[in-house]
């Protein structure tokens, strides 16, 4: 009988070896019995996991490939437990690559974070090229929340090109989604586009003992409790926590959470991207967060996405300046917990990107009270 991993080890029954003390069973080996009387040692953990985003098979993160009938190898590492184990060689295959497509229907299952082989993974490579040391379940978190691209990819794409000249060969570079680990490691992880002669805050250590994924997030529900935060912060919500005495968004309001400053600067950066593509490039852009590749053409400036053969037209007038600022904007906004994961780093990326766009539009962001 297969090891289910869900139950206890009952007394041996008919058809089983009396010496088999390692097999776990969901059902007892003999009856009669009532289902409510069956003891499942990790029932609470399973229930918690089942209501988490990691177990939601109907979500876009796990159902996107259902119509295809298989998950591409490039996506399977983080979008199925089977793909994760394949990538890290936890299934006996070679590590560092997923060997072909993976069947649909999988999620971030128990074996993704509880596989004994995780103890043998000592480092994770990020899109920037950084090789970061890990211990145990950190390997799971940092593998799947690091994004798929980094500032270095943008640098390579725009190398030696005129800053404000549209290039039809440039395409939006997507940092991907839920990039908490990328945010957390900050300048050390080099996930954002870093401007020359600028220093960037490194890994956000926060404070002991809240300096790792599992020290804040309950590992099965993924939820975070506000109570431990109240040891140092006075706030009714996570979003109301402020870690700085100065205002970064020009409002001068330091009574609100740092998230407010981040969101205001992110909104301003998007406004500047739109203004730049309209006024400097002469090719307006429209952002639609519900459709890939998110940035679309509006050639006639009527405020509607251009359509061709019934499909939206991807934006094709990127300049090196607009591409790098859009990348930073997307990296910051794709992590909804950026204000907790590394607020200093994301504020730096936003400020530098706004300063960059301000140059050709004669906007001095210091004069309007923005701070780095």
């Amino acid at each position: 009988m297969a090891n289910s991993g869900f139950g206890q080890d009952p007394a041996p029954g008919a058809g089983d070896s009396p010496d088999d003390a390692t097999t776990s069973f969901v059902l007892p080996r003999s009856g009669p019995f009532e289902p409510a009387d069956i003891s499942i040692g990790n029932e609470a953990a399973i229930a918690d996991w089942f209501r988490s985003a990691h177990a939601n098979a109907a979500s876009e993160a796990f159902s996107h490939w259902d119509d295809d009938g298989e998950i591409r190898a490039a996506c399977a590492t983080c979008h199925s437990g089977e793909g994760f184990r394949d990538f890290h060689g936890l299934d006996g295959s070679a590590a560092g690559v997923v060997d072909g497509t993976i069947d649909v229907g999988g999620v971030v299952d128990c074996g993704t974070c509880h596989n004994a082989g995780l103890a043998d993974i000592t480092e994770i490579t990020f899109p920037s090229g950084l090789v970061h040391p890990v211990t145990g379940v950190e390997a799971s978190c940092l593998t799947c929340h690091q994004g798929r691209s980094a500032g270095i990819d943008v640098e390579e794409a725009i190398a030696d090109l005129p800053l404000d000249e549209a290039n039809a060969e440039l395409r939006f570079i997507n940092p991907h989604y839920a990039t908490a680990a990328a945010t957390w490691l900050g300048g050390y992880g080099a996930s954002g586009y870093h401007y020359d002669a600028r220093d960037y805050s490194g890994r956000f250590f926060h404070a002991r003992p809240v300096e790792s994924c599992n020290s804040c997030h309950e590992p099965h529900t993924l939820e975070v409790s506000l109570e431990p935060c109240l040891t140092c912060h006075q706030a009714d919500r996570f979003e109301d926590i402020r870690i700085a005495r100065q205002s970064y968004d020009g409002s001068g309001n330091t009574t609100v959470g740092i998230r407010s400053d981040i969101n205001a600067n992110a909104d301003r950066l998007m406004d500047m991207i739109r203004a730049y593509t309209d006024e400097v490039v002469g090719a307006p852009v429209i952002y639609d967060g519900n459709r890939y590749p998110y940035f679309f053409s509006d050639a006639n400036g009527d405020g509607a996405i251009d359509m061709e053969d019934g499909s939206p037209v991807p934006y094709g007038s990127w300049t090196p300046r607009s591409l790098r600022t859009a990348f930073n904007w997307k990296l910051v906004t794709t992590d909804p917990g950026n204000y907790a994961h590394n607020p200093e780093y994301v504020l730096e990326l936003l400020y530098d990107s706004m300063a960059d766009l301000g140059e050709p539009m004669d906007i001095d962001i210091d004069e309007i009270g923005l701070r780095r």
Side-chain angles (χ1 to χ4, degrees):
M1 189 169 184
N3 186 335
S4 68
F6 291 105
Q8 304 298 305
D9 287 334
D16 295 291
S17 168
D19 296 326
D20 183 7
T22 62
T23 302
S24 299
F25 294 86
V26 169
L27 301 178
R29 302 188 187 186
S30 62
F33 60 87
E34 292 291 336
D37 295 333
I38 300 173
S39 176
I40 302 177
N42 53 352
E43 180 178 14
I46 295 171
D48 286 343
W49 164 82
F50 188 73
R51 62 187 177 89
S52 76
H54 278 170
N56 186 1
S59 69
E60 179 67 13
F62 302 117
S63 65
H64 180 82
W65 303 266
D66 285 358
D67 290 342
D68 300 331
E70 59 187 19
I71 306 174
R72 296 189 302 274
C75 306
T77 299
C78 299
H79 294 278
S80 70
E82 182 182 353
F84 177 87
R85 289 183 287 277
D86 189 332
F87 177 79
H88 282 296
L90 303 179
D91 60 355
S93 65
V97 64
V98 176
D99 303 310
T101 58
I102 298 295
D103 291 340
V104 297
V107 294
V108 178
D109 53 24
C110 304
T112 307
C113 302
H114 290 282
N115 192 294
L118 289 176
D120 298 324
I121 300 175
T122 59
E123 57 188 29
I124 297 295
T125 301
F126 276 66
S128 64
L130 169 74
V131 179
H132 180 68
V134 295
T135 303
V137 76
E138 278 186 335
S140 302
C141 305
L142 271 62
T143 294
C144 295
H145 291 282
Q146 59 173 257
R148 292 292 306 277
S149 55
I152 189 173
D153 298 304
V154 180
E155 289 181 19
E156 292 175 353
I158 66 176
D160 302 323
L161 295 177
L163 271 182
D164 298 307
E165 184 177 307
N167 189 315
E169 294 185 3
L170 292 177
R171 294 292 182 268
F172 176 63
I173 298 175
N174 185 25
H176 212 53
Y177 318 100
T179 52
T183 308
W184 176 52
L185 293 185
Y188 160 68
S191 292
Y193 179 86
H194 292 177
Y195 289 86
D196 292 340
R198 287 293 197 179
D199 293 326
Y200 292 90
S201 298
R203 173 182 165 186
F204 190 49
F205 283 96
H206 203 168
R208 294 181 179 178
V210 283
E211 52 190 16
S212 67
C213 306
N214 278 351
S215 60
C216 288
H217 292 269
E218 203 288 325
H220 295 111
T221 65
L222 309 180
E223 295 172 352
V224 181
S225 172
L226 180 63
E227 184 176 357
C229 305
L230 302 182
T231 302
C232 300
H233 303 286
Q234 290 184 340
D236 294 326
R237 305 180 306 156
F238 298 111
E239 297 85 350
D240 295 333
I241 293 176
R242 187 169 191 86
I243 63 167
R245 295 182 179 181
Q246 74 172 9
S247 169
Y248 291 88
D249 62 2
S251 68
N253 186 1
T254 58
T255 65
V256 294
I258 198 66
R259 178 176 180 264
S260 177
D261 296 49
I262 293 172
N263 287 350
N265 282 354
D267 290 344
R268 185 186 293 271
L269 175 55
M270 174 52 75
D271 288 341
M272 293 182 71
I273 291 172
R274 293 191 183 102
Y276 171 85
T277 60
D278 188 5
E279 300 169 14
V280 178
V281 184
V285 68
I286 292 179
Y287 176 79
D288 182 348
N290 296 314
R291 290 191 282 191
Y292 181 84
Y294 313 116
F295 292 91
F296 299 93
S297 293
D298 177 20
N300 59 9
D302 65 352
I305 295 174
D306 296 338
M307 303 295 290
E308 186 175 288
D309 297 328
S311 298
V313 179
Y315 191 66
S317 299
W318 291 107
T319 69
R321 196 187 301 271
S322 63
L323 187 66
R324 65 194 187 188
T325 55
F327 178 86
N328 277 349
W329 179 86
K330 188 66 161 60
L331 177 67
V332 168
T333 57
T334 198
D335 177 12
N338 54 34
Y339 63 94
H341 295 142
N342 201 330
E344 296 164 343
Y345 181 60
V346 300
L347 283 166
E348 291 162 357
L349 291 179
L350 292 172
Y351 179 94
D352 290 349
S353 298
M354 288 186 288
D356 185 21
L357 287 176
E359 289 183 12
M361 293 193 291
D362 295 323
I363 298 174
D364 187 334
I365 62 174
D366 289 330
E367 288 186 358
I368 56 180
L370 303 186
R371 294 292 178 266
R372 191 175 191 270

